[in-house]
Amino acid sequence: AAINFLKDIKDHLPNNQDEFNRRHDEACKKCCAIDNTNIFYGHAQKLINMSLKYFYNEYAFYYNENNYLGYPNNNIESYFHIPIDNQVIDYLREYHKFNIPNLPFTQWPKEEYLNFQNQLSNRLMNNYKPLEIDYLIWNNGNNFVTNNAINT
């Protein structure tokens, strides 16, 4: 499901956020539907979002398309969701007072996942993209760096 999603995104770029979200959701649901597995939406989003992040980083590096922060930039990344993991959750909860369920992210249903993504999108400032927040948290990891990117 993840590989097919990556191929599809590469070959048929989404026209808008809604189209990307629909295709992302379909890929996550396919991951969850794999027989004899216990994959929750939280697991699926991690697989899909990290695959997108690494695939896109390699693509941008190869074609030398980086933004002013040195991160990939060719506009498609503006549709990408932030990959959710414990470091991102802990950081956003502590420094930006995000309302996050006490359930492990790997067990989140689709609704919790979308609530988190919407919460982030609604708080972004200064033209930051969700994927850039992931880079900032993982590469810098301090509140000063994201204060001008996320509304608290």
Side-chain angles (χ1 to χ4, degrees), residues 22-44:
R22 180 186 52 75
R23 291 162 64 184
H24 183 279
D25 180 53
E26 289 170 2
C28 286
K29 286 178 180 175
K30 286 178 183 174
C31 288
C32 293
I34 297 172
D35 289 339
N36 300 318
T37 63
N38 195 17
I39 297 176
F40 290 92
Y41 205 90
H43 290 116

mmCIF file of all heavy atoms in Angstrom, residues 22-44:
data_model
loop_
_atom_site.group_PDB
_atom_site.id
_atom_site.type_symbol
_atom_site.label_atom_id
_atom_site.label_comp_id
_atom_site.label_asym_id
_atom_site.label_seq_id
_atom_site.Cartn_x
_atom_site.Cartn_y
_atom_site.Cartn_z
ATOM 1 N N ARG A 22 -7.501 12.488 0.690
ATOM 2 C CA ARG A 22 -8.293 11.328 0.272
ATOM 3 C C ARG A 22 -7.377 10.166 -0.104
ATOM 4 O O ARG A 22 -7.575 9.028 0.328
ATOM 5 C CB ARG A 22 -9.191 11.706 -0.903
ATOM 6 C CG ARG A 22 -10.067 10.553 -1.409
ATOM 7 C CD ARG A 22 -10.852 10.912 -2.666
ATOM 8 N NE ARG A 22 -10.033 11.448 -3.744
ATOM 9 C CZ ARG A 22 -9.227 10.715 -4.523
ATOM 10 N NH1 ARG A 22 -9.114 9.421 -4.337
ATOM 11 N NH2 ARG A 22 -8.525 11.290 -5.492
ATOM 12 N N ARG A 23 -6.354 10.448 -0.861
ATOM 13 C CA ARG A 23 -5.436 9.397 -1.297
ATOM 14 C C ARG A 23 -4.616 8.858 -0.125
ATOM 15 O O ARG A 23 -4.352 7.651 -0.037
ATOM 16 C CB ARG A 23 -4.540 9.936 -2.415
ATOM 17 C CG ARG A 23 -5.364 10.170 -3.695
ATOM 18 C CD ARG A 23 -4.724 11.077 -4.699
ATOM 19 N NE ARG A 23 -3.484 10.563 -5.261
ATOM 20 C CZ ARG A 23 -2.734 11.269 -6.109
ATOM 21 N NH1 ARG A 23 -3.114 12.474 -6.514
ATOM 22 N NH2 ARG A 23 -1.618 10.771 -6.581
ATOM 23 N N HIS A 24 -4.238 9.735 0.780
ATOM 24 C CA HIS A 24 -3.520 9.336 1.993
ATOM 25 C C HIS A 24 -4.394 8.400 2.819
ATOM 26 O O HIS A 24 -3.941 7.353 3.299
ATOM 27 C CB HIS A 24 -3.140 10.591 2.783
ATOM 28 C CG HIS A 24 -2.347 10.339 4.013
ATOM 29 N ND1 HIS A 24 -2.929 9.944 5.201
ATOM 30 C CD2 HIS A 24 -1.020 10.457 4.256
ATOM 31 C CE1 HIS A 24 -1.998 9.830 6.124
ATOM 32 N NE2 HIS A 24 -0.819 10.123 5.575
ATOM 33 N N ASP A 25 -5.648 8.776 2.998
ATOM 34 C CA ASP A 25 -6.590 7.962 3.766
ATOM 35 C C ASP A 25 -6.771 6.585 3.133
ATOM 36 O O ASP A 25 -6.785 5.565 3.838
ATOM 37 C CB ASP A 25 -7.934 8.692 3.877
ATOM 38 C CG ASP A 25 -8.957 7.910 4.661
ATOM 39 O OD1 ASP A 25 -8.664 7.501 5.812
ATOM 40 O OD2 ASP A 25 -10.073 7.711 4.141
ATOM 41 N N GLU A 26 -6.898 6.536 1.827
ATOM 42 C CA GLU A 26 -7.048 5.253 1.130
ATOM 43 C C GLU A 26 -5.828 4.357 1.375
ATOM 44 O O GLU A 26 -5.970 3.154 1.610
ATOM 45 C CB GLU A 26 -7.230 5.472 -0.370
ATOM 46 C CG GLU A 26 -8.574 6.064 -0.741
ATOM 47 C CD GLU A 26 -8.656 6.509 -2.199
ATOM 48 O OE1 GLU A 26 -7.671 6.320 -2.963
ATOM 49 O OE2 GLU A 26 -9.704 7.066 -2.578
ATOM 50 N N ALA A 27 -4.638 4.935 1.332
ATOM 51 C CA ALA A 27 -3.418 4.157 1.562
ATOM 52 C C ALA A 27 -3.367 3.645 3.010
ATOM 53 O O ALA A 27 -3.010 2.481 3.244
ATOM 54 C CB ALA A 27 -2.179 4.996 1.248
ATOM 55 N N CYS A 28 -3.733 4.493 3.962
ATOM 56 C CA CYS A 28 -3.753 4.062 5.365
ATOM 57 C C CYS A 28 -4.759 2.940 5.575
ATOM 58 O O CYS A 28 -4.471 1.953 6.267
ATOM 59 C CB CYS A 28 -4.074 5.237 6.284
ATOM 60 S SG CYS A 28 -2.715 6.413 6.481
ATOM 61 N N LYS A 29 -5.921 3.066 4.987
ATOM 62 C CA LYS A 29 -6.951 2.023 5.125
ATOM 63 C C LYS A 29 -6.483 0.707 4.517
ATOM 64 O O LYS A 29 -6.769 -0.366 5.057
ATOM 65 C CB LYS A 29 -8.253 2.476 4.475
ATOM 66 C CG LYS A 29 -8.991 3.519 5.294
ATOM 67 C CD LYS A 29 -10.251 3.983 4.579
ATOM 68 C CE LYS A 29 -10.994 5.020 5.388
ATOM 69 N NZ LYS A 29 -12.156 5.556 4.655
ATOM 70 N N LYS A 30 -5.761 0.768 3.403
ATOM 71 C CA LYS A 30 -5.238 -0.455 2.792
ATOM 72 C C LYS A 30 -4.226 -1.127 3.718
ATOM 73 O O LYS A 30 -4.197 -2.350 3.828
ATOM 74 C CB LYS A 30 -4.605 -0.159 1.438
ATOM 75 C CG LYS A 30 -5.626 0.112 0.355
ATOM 76 C CD LYS A 30 -4.967 0.447 -0.971
ATOM 77 C CE LYS A 30 -6.032 0.787 -2.005
ATOM 78 N NZ LYS A 30 -5.436 1.250 -3.265
ATOM 79 N N CYS A 31 -3.401 -0.322 4.375
ATOM 80 C CA CYS A 31 -2.448 -0.887 5.340
ATOM 81 C C CYS A 31 -3.184 -1.566 6.490
ATOM 82 O O CYS A 31 -2.812 -2.662 6.922
ATOM 83 C CB CYS A 31 -1.542 0.206 5.902
ATOM 84 S SG CYS A 31 -0.327 0.851 4.753
ATOM 85 N N CYS A 32 -4.234 -0.938 6.970
ATOM 86 C CA CYS A 32 -5.012 -1.487 8.088
ATOM 87 C C CYS A 32 -5.769 -2.754 7.704
ATOM 88 O O CYS A 32 -6.078 -3.574 8.566
ATOM 89 C CB CYS A 32 -6.005 -0.451 8.609
ATOM 90 S SG CYS A 32 -5.236 0.972 9.398
ATOM 91 N N ALA A 33 -6.056 -2.916 6.442
ATOM 92 C CA ALA A 33 -6.858 -4.048 5.979
ATOM 93 C C ALA A 33 -6.032 -5.284 5.623
ATOM 94 O O ALA A 33 -6.589 -6.295 5.200
ATOM 95 C CB ALA A 33 -7.683 -3.621 4.764
ATOM 96 N N ILE A 34 -4.731 -5.229 5.802
ATOM 97 C CA ILE A 34 -3.888 -6.380 5.481
ATOM 98 C C ILE A 34 -4.284 -7.551 6.379
ATOM 99 O O ILE A 34 -4.382 -7.408 7.601
ATOM 100 C CB ILE A 34 -2.391 -6.030 5.640
ATOM 101 C CG1 ILE A 34 -2.003 -4.941 4.639
ATOM 102 C CG2 ILE A 34 -1.520 -7.273 5.472
ATOM 103 C CD1 ILE A 34 -0.603 -4.387 4.833
ATOM 104 N N ASP A 35 -4.512 -8.685 5.781
ATOM 105 C CA ASP A 35 -4.966 -9.868 6.511
ATOM 106 C C ASP A 35 -3.983 -10.288 7.594
ATOM 107 O O ASP A 35 -2.767 -10.159 7.441
ATOM 108 C CB ASP A 35 -5.170 -11.046 5.551
ATOM 109 C CG ASP A 35 -6.372 -10.853 4.645
ATOM 110 O OD1 ASP A 35 -7.265 -10.052 4.998
ATOM 111 O OD2 ASP A 35 -6.406 -11.497 3.584
ATOM 112 N N ASN A 36 -4.540 -10.807 8.690
ATOM 113 C CA ASN A 36 -3.778 -11.379 9.802
ATOM 114 C C ASN A 36 -2.806 -10.402 10.444
ATOM 115 O O ASN A 36 -1.731 -10.790 10.886
ATOM 116 C CB ASN A 36 -3.040 -12.645 9.352
ATOM 117 C CG ASN A 36 -3.991 -13.704 8.864
ATOM 118 O OD1 ASN A 36 -5.047 -13.926 9.461
ATOM 119 N ND2 ASN A 36 -3.651 -14.358 7.763
ATOM 120 N N THR A 37 -3.153 -9.126 10.417
ATOM 121 C CA THR A 37 -2.335 -8.135 11.108
ATOM 122 C C THR A 37 -3.226 -7.338 12.048
ATOM 123 O O THR A 37 -4.448 -7.370 11.942
ATOM 124 C CB THR A 37 -1.662 -7.153 10.122
ATOM 125 O OG1 THR A 37 -2.676 -6.421 9.436
ATOM 126 C CG2 THR A 37 -0.762 -7.868 9.145
ATOM 127 N N ASN A 38 -2.613 -6.668 12.961
ATOM 128 C CA ASN A 38 -3.336 -5.817 13.904
ATOM 129 C C ASN A 38 -2.836 -4.386 13.734
ATOM 130 O O ASN A 38 -2.293 -3.790 14.656
ATOM 131 C CB ASN A 38 -3.131 -6.323 15.330
ATOM 132 C CG ASN A 38 -4.125 -5.709 16.290
ATOM 133 O OD1 ASN A 38 -5.146 -5.156 15.886
ATOM 134 N ND2 ASN A 38 -3.815 -5.784 17.567
ATOM 135 N N ILE A 39 -2.975 -3.873 12.515
ATOM 136 C CA ILE A 39 -2.461 -2.542 12.197
ATOM 137 C C ILE A 39 -3.568 -1.511 12.406
ATOM 138 O O ILE A 39 -4.634 -1.604 11.814
ATOM 139 C CB ILE A 39 -1.942 -2.481 10.743
ATOM 140 C CG1 ILE A 39 -0.764 -3.447 10.570
ATOM 141 C CG2 ILE A 39 -1.537 -1.063 10.377
ATOM 142 C CD1 ILE A 39 -0.241 -3.528 9.157
ATOM 143 N N PHE A 40 -3.292 -0.555 13.275
ATOM 144 C CA PHE A 40 -4.207 0.551 13.523
ATOM 145 C C PHE A 40 -3.877 1.688 12.558
ATOM 146 O O PHE A 40 -2.817 1.718 11.942
ATOM 147 C CB PHE A 40 -4.061 1.068 14.965
ATOM 148 C CG PHE A 40 -4.572 0.124 16.006
ATOM 149 C CD1 PHE A 40 -3.724 -0.793 16.598
ATOM 150 C CD2 PHE A 40 -5.895 0.177 16.417
ATOM 151 C CE1 PHE A 40 -4.187 -1.655 17.573
ATOM 152 C CE2 PHE A 40 -6.373 -0.679 17.397
ATOM 153 C CZ PHE A 40 -5.511 -1.598 17.974
ATOM 154 N N TYR A 41 -4.761 2.651 12.491
ATOM 155 C CA TYR A 41 -4.539 3.824 11.642
ATOM 156 C C TYR A 41 -3.250 4.544 12.057
ATOM 157 O O TYR A 41 -2.519 5.062 11.222
ATOM 158 C CB TYR A 41 -5.750 4.761 11.738
ATOM 159 C CG TYR A 41 -5.934 5.638 10.527
ATOM 160 C CD1 TYR A 41 -6.704 5.212 9.448
ATOM 161 C CD2 TYR A 41 -5.352 6.902 10.462
ATOM 162 C CE1 TYR A 41 -6.895 6.014 8.331
ATOM 163 C CE2 TYR A 41 -5.532 7.708 9.348
ATOM 164 C CZ TYR A 41 -6.296 7.256 8.289
ATOM 165 O OH TYR A 41 -6.476 8.050 7.195
ATOM 166 N N GLY A 42 -2.966 4.550 13.355
ATOM 167 C CA GLY A 42 -1.737 5.179 13.851
ATOM 168 C C GLY A 42 -0.476 4.536 13.306
ATOM 169 O O GLY A 42 0.503 5.219 13.011
ATOM 170 N N HIS A 43 -0.489 3.210 13.189
ATOM 171 C CA HIS A 43 0.647 2.516 12.566
ATOM 172 C C HIS A 43 0.760 2.898 11.097
ATOM 173 O O HIS A 43 1.842 3.185 10.591
ATOM 174 C CB HIS A 43 0.463 0.989 12.623
ATOM 175 C CG HIS A 43 0.585 0.381 13.958
ATOM 176 N ND1 HIS A 43 -0.469 -0.247 14.574
ATOM 177 C CD2 HIS A 43 1.627 0.285 14.808
ATOM 178 C CE1 HIS A 43 -0.086 -0.712 15.733
ATOM 179 N NE2 HIS A 43 1.192 -0.398 15.910
ATOM 180 N N ALA A 44 -0.386 2.865 10.427
ATOM 181 C CA ALA A 44 -0.408 3.113 8.982
ATOM 182 C C ALA A 44 0.075 4.519 8.647
ATOM 183 O O ALA A 44 0.866 4.706 7.713
ATOM 184 C CB ALA A 44 -1.819 2.885 8.434
#
